[in-house]
Every structure is written in structure tokens, then in C-alpha cells.
Amino acid sequence: MSDDFFDLAARQRAHRAFTNDPVDDATIERLLDAAVRAPSAENMQPWEFIVVRAAAARARIGTLMVQAWEGGGRHFSEGRLPPGMLADVDAGIRGGVAGAPVVIVVCADLERGHEATIGSSIFPAVQNLLLAATALGLGSALTTIATSFAHELRALLELPERVRPAAVVPIGHPARALGPSRRNPATTHMHRDHYNNPW
């Protein structure tokens, strides 16, 4: 039995600053092959992945993120996030994410997934994508703030009405090394047999 997966899970974390180094098609295909190995409700596989490399389109996605952030996202996060994390998220939204050489917009086809189960199908695929990026030494982040402008994203990406944007994942070579993710120990969230019975 290998601990490789557990080491990988411990290293996976959000990157919001990227170099200009390109990420080739073969690598993107490898990442998305890992993504589609995720479970989905009734095995309907409702995911669609729009791989955005065009600078103008990435910039437009970045503009939508800034609009959502300035339109209420930042206010919501102030006081909730530590100052360092708030500054990192702010910098990511104001250019870091759109500066990634690849932005993958993960969408859900509502003809292949029930409204109630879309999240449980899409986000396992996103998690596989994030883990695969980490395994290959790439940076990535799960973002959803731009999806508050779903109509604009749909127009930009020429999505049919049945296809809904669910997440925006920047992919690229990290501009700086980040340490391991900061998480509370699992035992602080574990209960034996019933809630509030300590593990």
C-alpha cells in the first residue's frame, strides 16, 4: 500500500499566481482524463470542460471575477478571512487567475444531470482535476465567483442554454512555491456514533 495519494492530498492547495510558461495539450488532456474518472450521479457524466487559452477570453473571465468581487464578494470575505489570505485572494482575482496560461471553465450539461445532483457530479471531477494538477507540479485553484455572471460566461464561451458554468479553474506553473495546505486535524471534525460525542 502506498502513501503517495495521501502525500498528494496533503500538498494540494490553491495557487493564484502563475508564470507565463505554457501548458501543452497533452498535459491538459491528461488532467481532464483524471477529472472524468470521478463519480457522477447515475453515471451521467454531465461535465463539459472549456479550455480557454485565448488572452482576450481569459482577460474577460478575469474582468467578470473582479466585477463579482467588487460587487459584494470582497465585502463578504472581509473579516472572515485572515488578512494574508484576503490579500492573496484579492491579488488572484485582480489578475493572478486570469494570468494563468490556461483557464478551464467546468460546466454542467443539465440534459445529462438532474439539477439536484449537478454539484455532486461536477465537484468530484473538479477535485480530481486539482489533484492531477498537483501531481504534475502544476498550480490550480477552484473558483466559482465568476459563475455569478453565468449569462456573460455563456455568451463568451458560446454555451448552449442547457450548459451551465459551475467553476473556473486556472492551470499553470506556480509563480512561487507554497507550503502544505493549512487544515485543522480531521479529529477536530469527527464524532463517534452521534454528533458531539468526541472521537
Side-chain angles (χ1 to χ4, degrees), residues 48-54 56-61 64 103-108 146-147 149-161 163-169:
E48 297 291 340
F49 305 94
I50 314 300
V51 180
V52 182
R53 282 203 175 91
R58 288 185 290 116
R60 177 64 178 141
I61 292 169
L64 294 175
V103 174
I104 299 177
V105 181
V106 185
C107 303
T147 64
F149 288 97
H151 178 75
E152 289 83 353
L153 276 175
R154 181 174 282 116
L156 175 68
L157 304 174
E158 301 180 15
L159 303 177
E161 191 62 31
V163 176
R164 175 191 300 166
V168 174
V169 179

Side-chain angles (χ1 to χ4, degrees), residues 10-168:
R11 287 190 292 114
Q12 195 283 312
R13 62 173 298 174
H15 286 261
R16 300 182 185 92
F18 304 92
T19 70
N20 292 325
D21 297 332
V23 180
D24 62 37
D25 281 358
T27 299
I28 295 300
E29 289 172 18
R30 193 171 179 198
L31 297 178
L32 295 180
D33 184 64
V36 303
R37 303 299 173 170
S40 63
E42 301 177 316
N43 196 31
M44 294 301 288
Q45 306 171 50
W47 40 67
E48 297 291 340
F49 305 94
I50 314 300
V51 180
V52 182
R53 282 203 175 91
R58 288 185 290 116
R60 177 64 178 141
I61 292 169
T63 298
L64 294 175
M65 293 181 74
V66 171
Q67 285 180 294
W69 183 241
E70 292 179 347
R74 191 177 205 290
H75 178 73
F76 177 79
S77 295
E78 287 174 337
R80 298 170 58 87
L81 297 180
M85 180 179 277
L86 181 66
D88 187 51
V89 171
D90 189 72
I93 286 177
R94 295 184 189 281
V97 171
V102 178
V103 174
I104 299 177
V105 181
V106 185
C107 303
D109 187 331
L110 297 180
E111 289 185 357
R112 297 202 317 273
H114 190 279
E115 182 84 24
T117 63
I118 285 299
S120 63
S121 297
I122 294 298
F123 290 105
V126 172
Q127 178 67 2
N128 276 13
L129 171 58
L130 300 175
L131 287 168
T134 301
L136 295 180
L138 296 170
S140 64
L142 165 59
T143 75
T144 58
I145 194 167
T147 64
S148 61
F149 288 97
H151 178 75
E152 289 83 353
L153 276 175
R154 181 174 282 116
L156 175 68
L157 304 174
E158 301 180 15
L159 303 177
E161 191 62 31
R162 70 179 191 277
V163 176
R164 175 191 300 166
V168 174

